[in-house]
């Protein structure tokens, strides 16, 4: 996709047919590499606000470090 990335968000739920686990896509977003990594970091930070340790922040920072790396490295 060139310089663009695709982000697919989904939820896990139980099937109404047989109660088996399934994933349902709730959003598909395509954008520039820089924008998508910023969005991913924000999602990780938001999802991890209930935790008391710093691991969520570390994961979000990893996205930002990836964003700042030279483009040819990815």
């Amino acid at each position: 996709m060139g310089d663009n990335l695709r982000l697919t968000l989904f939820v896990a739920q139980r099937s109404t047919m047989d109660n088996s686990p399934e994933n349902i896509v709730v959003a598909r977003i395509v954008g520039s590499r820089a924008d998508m990594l910023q969005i991913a970091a924000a999602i990780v930070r938001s999802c991890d606000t209930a935790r008391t340790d710093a691991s969520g922040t570390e994961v979000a920072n990893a996205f930002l470090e990836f964003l700042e790396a030279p483009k040819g490295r990815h």
Side-chain angles (χ1 to χ4, degrees):
M1 295 181 60
D3 287 339
N4 293 324
L5 295 175
R6 179 177 53 206
L7 177 65
T8 302
L9 304 175
F10 64 91
V11 296
Q13 68 179 30
R14 293 281 178 186
S15 169
T16 56
M17 301 294 276
D18 62 2
N19 206 32
S20 63
E22 63 184 3
N23 294 325
I24 303 297
V25 173
V26 294
R28 287 192 173 118
I29 305 167
V30 176
S32 71
R33 179 182 154 273
D35 290 344
M36 298 308 285
L37 291 171
Q38 292 285 354
I39 291 168
I43 289 169
V44 168
R45 276 193 297 269
S46 296
C47 290
D48 204 44
T49 56
R51 295 182 67 159
T52 57
D53 62 14
S55 64
T57 303
E58 291 171 12
V59 172
N61 288 338
F63 280 109
L64 297 177
E65 288 174 21
F66 182 82
L67 175 64
E68 294 168 359
K71 187 174 179 181
R73 184 177 129 198
H74 319 109

